[in-house]
Amino acid sequence: MSKTAIIIGGGTAGMETASQLARLGVEVDLIEKQPHLGGHLKNWDRLFPNRRNSDEVFDYLEKGMNDGISLHLNAEISNIRKSEEKFTIALQDGKELQSDALVIATGYEVFDARKKEEYGYGIYDNVITSVELEEFFRSNKQKNLLEGVASKRIGIIHCVGSRDEKAGNLYCSKLCCVTGVKQAIEIKELMPDAEIFCFYMDLRMFDRHFEEMYYEAQEKWGIQFIRGRLSEASENTDHTLLVKVEDTLTGLPLKMKVDLLILLVGFVPSPETRRLAAMLGLKEGDDRFLCPADEHTITNSTEIPGVFLAGTVKGPAGIANTITDARATAIQVADYLK
Amino acid sequence: MKIEGKQNIWKEYQKEIAEDHFFYVRSCVRQNFFPGSEKTFLRILQYELKKDLFENPSHTTCSGIGYHTDIIPFETSMTMVARQFALMTEAGYENLVTSCITSFGLYSEVLETWHHFPELEEKTRQFLRKATGREFKKPANVSHASDIIFKFRKEIAEKSKYSLVNKDTGKPLRVVEHIGCHYSKMFPSKGIGGAEYPYVLVGMIEDWGGEVIDYPERRHCCGFGFRQYLVQANRGFSISCSKKKFDSMEPYKPDMILTNCPGCPMFLDRWQYAISEMEGKTYGENNQGIPVLTYEELAGLVLGYNPWDLGLQVHQVPAEPLLDKMGIPYDPEMKFRGADGQDLGKPEAPTTLKFYAKEV
């Protein structure tokens, strides 16, 4: 009789882990609380650094959803029990699933920008998040982002909810920098006469081709990068925004008017990740992401035998790294099930 | 502007405010700046709301201004605060109400410090014991006097004789609100509505019929900022801060400015005069400036108190345009007369700011 694994979370990490495990002959139950697979990938329009359509990556992941994988969509977990090497998961619809191994791939959610009250998200009309901008790109590609606005000056704020002690998140979300650069270029493609200002603390262009994108943004598109953190945004009578920033390279305070403010929201562990961690007794780090058994050498297993981690439950990661991590998890699970 | 967004934030920042039996501590400076305000607070609480309120004449400065200007060490401030608590304990009270925002900030800071560093509380107890022989209990509740007026704003509205409505147009008066930094910028959770979109004054304005103005420099410093004014060489910063606010609020045509700090009304009021003398620039209609009131003064006006009993005659920017809009009667001849009717003499009229309805 073949061995079984339950994967919780049908985003990039969960889909790829499921696909690889099925390929290795493991029977997989993939549980997703949404009515569809894909997680956050479905919200992205194009991916950095080459700006390919995110649907292409989703199509690749979906092709892996073959025989050997039972999908459970719209499925909420009410309880997990472990007994005699077996995991039993009770779903809210009364169904029960059993397996020999469990993979937590419940990922992240974006930082709730309303917590940075001084930026006015949810209060001022023209403050949006990077996620909302992606939604706009996905659904309104032919439209101007700022219809009818003459000046079209846009501010992009980096590190919203990341590297921010006040927000309770000391960690870097890693991918907001490159997302900001990507989105700035995409806005310029849509609105060549827009003026774009990125307000950053550091630009952490850590991965391949990221630095090149940053150069392209400046040299080809004339996007301006100002080192300084936004102190506050206020609304003018015409619904434009007054932003106050300290330019830390010149050491001078800066005040300017923008038509639109885009907040690059960082990663926080999803509530489901935290709920399952509490249910299973998994260890959370200071940053509230889950801890693997060893930070360097055993990055896909946990201290609980049979419980594995995949993707952004362990911290911020991009699509490519998430897929690589999911494959590593699949190998670890298969090895454990031998 | 999405008001629901603000309401969501306001829900986050609620605080416990005592219901009755208050130990009231006065401000060092307010009785000079706005002499009717504290008296009006007592009148409202004791005579309108029938609350029990006690004050001890042995109460001293809390040392907050000295502390924030680096001339009094924190240990001294903690001991002075401990002495105020001892006076409260001796009188049998446990709900502290401060008139001053800086006192409120300092009391909150000291209690928070003791919470995190209990050894400092013990050390302070020893200092107080050695210096005065007194003992104290920490207050069960610390509120600013504006919290109390906020709490009872609806009762005040029920008893009101006038509201923040223009009697000629029937439209709500447009009000700029400005809270003191030490009210909630130090500890957002200790202020109603938090630090970014404070609700304490907004609640009063809304319940008394007015409309709040949101203007770009709403969060900017009033101009006091302690060292900006207390260090004489820095006073250019002080007046330019106030000017920045006036310039920013001017297009919204505010009918008045409402404040809850000793410093804010002082500087927002007096600097309007100074700017008018320096640059010939006035704000508000007919060169009359924008009246600046404390929340006690406004509550008193709403309740129908005589404007001259509230001390409005010591304002540099005349409050009469506001009184006219609210339909509040007043006797211009009594503005500069003492309680016994004695003529106190009229101040000299400013060059540009229209201080008298008819120039004297």
Side-chain angles (χ1 to χ4, degrees):
Chain A
M1 191 180 145
S2 67
K3 294 280 188 174
T4 55
I6 291 173
I7 298 170
I8 308 172
T12 303
M15 288 176 82
E16 183 63 9
T17 311
S19 157
Q20 296 295 333
L21 278 174
R23 208 173 55 79
L24 293 165
V26 177
E27 275 185 31
V28 175
D29 281 298
L30 179 56
I31 301 174
E32 169 57 46
K33 65 175 179 183
Q34 298 292 331
H36 54 79
L37 293 173
H40 292 283
L41 183 60
K42 297 290 276 182
N43 303 330
W44 271 196
D45 181 42
R46 281 170 287 169
L47 305 177
F48 51 76
N50 56 2
R51 284 186 283 132
R52 74 187 296 186
N53 191 324
S54 67
D55 291 341
E56 292 175 23
V57 175
F58 179 73
D59 291 345
Y60 157 80
L61 293 169
E62 205 177 29
K63 277 187 195 133
M65 299 295 101
N66 294 320
D67 293 347
I69 301 173
S70 305
L71 284 181
H72 305 273
L73 298 174
N74 292 310
E76 294 266 359
I77 293 168
S78 53
N79 185 271
I80 304 176
R81 294 191 312 276
K82 190 185 180 193
S83 57
E84 292 173 15
E85 311 291 309
K86 285 273 182 195
F87 294 94
T88 307
I89 292 191
L91 300 177
Q92 271 181 359
D93 62 4
K95 214 186 281 176
E96 277 206 339
L97 303 171
Q98 270 207 338
S99 72
D100 304 298
L102 191 60
V103 178
I104 311 295
T106 40
Y108 71 98
E109 65 174 17
V110 294
F111 174 76
D112 179 0
R114 286 175 302 185
K115 290 183 180 165
K116 292 296 293 175
E117 294 166 6
E118 62 273 34
Y119 295 177
Y121 177 71
I123 294 178
Y124 305 138
D125 294 329
N126 291 319
V127 181
I128 65 169
T129 66
S130 42
V131 179
E132 286 165 333
L133 183 64
E134 290 292 331
E135 277 168 27
F136 175 85
F137 285 148
R138 279 183 81 89
S139 55
N140 298 285
K141 274 199 180 112
Q142 306 311 317
K143 277 195 194 161
N144 190 323
L145 186 57
L146 284 166
E147 293 289 358
V149 175
S151 61
K152 300 187 177 70
R153 184 188 270 186
I154 296 171
I156 298 183
I157 310 298
H158 290 233
C159 299
V160 176
S162 306
R163 303 179 69 194
D164 184 343
E165 199 173 356
K166 191 179 160 196
N169 299 332
L170 269 180
Y171 56 87
C172 168
S173 285
K174 292 205 300 199
L175 300 151
C176 327
C177 283
V178 66
T179 300
V181 171
K182 177 192 85 97
Q183 293 187 334
I185 292 174
E186 288 168 348
I187 295 169
K188 281 295 271 191
E189 286 175 337
L190 206 60
M191 302 158 52
D193 54 346
E195 277 185 283
I196 303 181
F197 296 86
C198 289
F199 298 98
Y200 68 96
M201 290 163 73
D202 297 303
L203 282 164
R204 296 189 163 178
M205 296 295 162
F206 65 96
D207 219 341
R208 199 170 172 201
H209 302 311
F210 287 9
E211 190 71 16
E212 288 87 333
M213 275 185 84
Y214 170 46
Y215 269 73
E216 181 193 330
Q218 294 173 88
E219 289 172 353
K220 183 173 173 188
W221 300 102
I223 292 155
Q224 303 202 45
F225 289 84
I226 296 174
R227 197 183 79 178
R229 198 156 196 168
L230 177 67
S231 73
E232 62 174 49
S234 320
E235 198 174 54
N236 292 310
T237 34
D238 58 359
H239 301 284
T240 58
L241 297 149
L242 181 80
V243 294
K244 290 184 181 179
V245 181
E246 183 191 358
D247 182 335
T248 55
L249 288 178
T250 61
L252 292 170
L254 182 151
K255 190 162 83 168
M256 67 156 68
K257 193 172 103 165
V258 295
D259 299 295
L260 182 72
L261 203 58
I262 298 162
L263 308 179
L264 295 171
V265 281
F267 287 64
V268 292
S270 72
E272 188 64 359
T273 297
R274 302 199 70 197
R275 188 173 77 97
L276 295 179
M279 222 180 252
L280 289 160
L282 293 173
K283 208 167 131 193
E284 281 186 357
D286 292 344
D287 56 6
R288 306 179 305 284
F289 287 100
L290 303 186
C291 296
D294 184 290
E295 221 170 307
H296 294 102
T297 58
I298 318 174
T299 53
N300 302 83
S301 310
T302 66
E303 286 170 350
I304 302 174
V307 179
F308 297 83
L309 307 175
T312 52
V313 291
K314 294 179 285 182
I319 299 291
N321 290 346
T322 301
I323 289 176
T324 311
D325 189 65
R327 288 174 188 162
T329 304
I331 290 171
Q332 294 288 313
V333 174
D335 201 35
Y336 170 80
L337 294 177
K338 268 183 195 166
Chain B
M1 176 72 65
K2 300 163 195 158
I3 188 70
E4 316 81 56
K6 277 193 178 181
Q7 285 164 344
N8 281 334
I9 288 181
W10 291 337
K11 268 188 232 155
E12 298 275 316
Y13 295 101
Q14 297 293 319
K15 67 183 255 189
E16 183 77 30
I17 303 166
E19 182 71 33
D20 201 352
H21 308 297
F22 304 109
F23 185 80
Y24 185 53
V25 287
R26 292 195 184 228
S27 153
C28 311
V29 293
R30 294 189 77 213
Q31 286 160 75
N32 292 324
F33 289 0
F34 297 93
S37 290
E38 292 184 340
K39 182 169 178 265
T40 304
F41 178 74
L42 299 178
R43 181 172 166 189
I44 293 172
L45 250 71
Q46 292 174 317
Y47 299 102
E48 302 286 348
L49 303 170
K50 312 287 182 207
K51 300 291 175 189
D52 169 39
L53 187 144
F54 183 82
E55 49 176 344
N56 184 332
S58 304
H59 163 256
T60 65
T61 173
C62 72
S63 80
I65 291 179
Y67 169 59
H68 285 286
T69 47
D70 278 354
I71 58 170
I72 292 185
F74 192 44
E75 286 76 6
T76 309
S77 287
M78 286 194 290
T79 312
M80 292 174 79
V81 164
R83 183 178 169 278
Q84 324 288 21
F85 290 163
L87 297 181
M88 181 184 73
T89 307
E90 288 160 17
Y93 285 80
E94 55 180 17
N95 298 325
L96 186 77
V97 180
T98 73
S99 164
C100 173
I101 285 285
T102 294
S103 299
F104 176 73
L106 184 64
Y107 288 125
S108 301
E109 187 178 346
V110 168
L111 289 169
E112 201 69 11
T113 304
W114 290 349
H115 175 70
H116 292 286
F117 304 97
E119 67 279 11
L120 288 180
E121 179 185 337
E122 195 41 50
K123 201 167 148 189
T124 308
R125 286 184 183 277
Q126 286 173 20
F127 288 155
L128 184 71
R129 208 172 288 132
K130 280 181 192 163
T132 68
R134 293 179 196 268
E135 300 288 344
F136 69 92
K137 280 189 200 156
K138 286 187 282 188
N141 185 276
V142 178
S143 297
H144 182 251
S146 62
D147 292 331
I148 308 286
I149 297 292
F150 172 86
K151 185 179 174 97
F152 298 114
R153 68 196 187 283
K154 290 184 193 299
E155 286 85 336
I156 291 172
E158 276 167 22
K159 292 170 183 285
S160 69
K161 295 198 170 56
Y162 303 99
S163 63
L164 282 168
V165 172
N166 188 314
K167 72 169 175 47
D168 294 328
T169 64
K171 288 187 177 164
L173 294 180
R174 293 168 62 71
V175 185
V176 158
E177 51 86 32
H178 186 87
I179 59 150
C181 300
H182 296 157
Y183 175 67
S184 63
K185 287 183 189 168
M186 292 164 69
F187 302 103
S189 62
K190 296 192 190 301
I192 297 160
E196 301 296 339
Y197 307 93
Y199 188 60
V200 61
L201 297 174
V202 173
M204 294 179 206
I205 294 162
E206 288 178 348
D207 276 302
W208 299 343
E211 186 180 282
V212 173
I213 289 174
D214 238 311
Y215 62 108
E217 295 292 359
R218 181 176 57 79
R219 297 184 184 99
H220 199 80
C221 172
C222 68
F224 184 19
F226 284 63
R227 264 171 260 208
Q228 290 170 28
Y229 184 79
L230 299 174
V231 177
Q232 198 171 4
N234 289 350
R235 287 183 185 169
F237 281 122
S238 171
I239 196 163
S240 50
C241 275
S242 304
K243 184 172 187 302
K244 190 178 273 188
K245 286 185 77 73
F246 298 136
D247 287 341
S248 175
M249 70 177 78
E250 190 180 25
Y252 297 80
K253 300 188 180 353
D255 296 300
M256 67 166 288
I257 300 170
L258 185 64
T259 59
N260 73 345
C261 176
C264 310
M266 177 72 177
F267 286 85
L268 293 172
D269 181 64
R270 271 47 158 193
W271 278 150
Q272 286 194 59
Y273 156 73
I275 291 167
S276 76
E277 291 295 321
M278 288 164 75
E279 301 202 335
K281 166 77 185 164
T282 58
Y283 299 89
E285 297 157 285
N286 309 319
N287 290 335
Q288 284 178 302
I290 308 166
V292 186
L293 269 71
T294 68
Y295 58 94
E296 297 109 320
E297 289 169 342
L298 184 63
L301 286 182
V302 164
L303 288 166
Y305 296 177
N306 182 336
W308 311 141
D309 289 347
L310 297 171
L312 297 188
Q313 58 276 57
V314 302
H315 288 217
Q316 185 68 68
V317 175
E320 284 89 330
L322 175 70
L323 304 180
D324 293 339
K325 285 174 191 169
M326 290 175 74
I328 296 173
Y330 57 92
D331 182 352
E333 283 308 309
M334 292 303 287
K335 183 169 180 179
F336 296 108
R337 285 182 183 274
D340 57 359
Q342 183 197 354
D343 189 350
L344 302 175
K346 289 191 169 81
E348 192 182 327
T351 316
T352 316
L353 183 71
K354 200 171 168 191
F355 187 66
Y356 295 102
K358 286 179 187 166
E359 294 302 342
V360 290

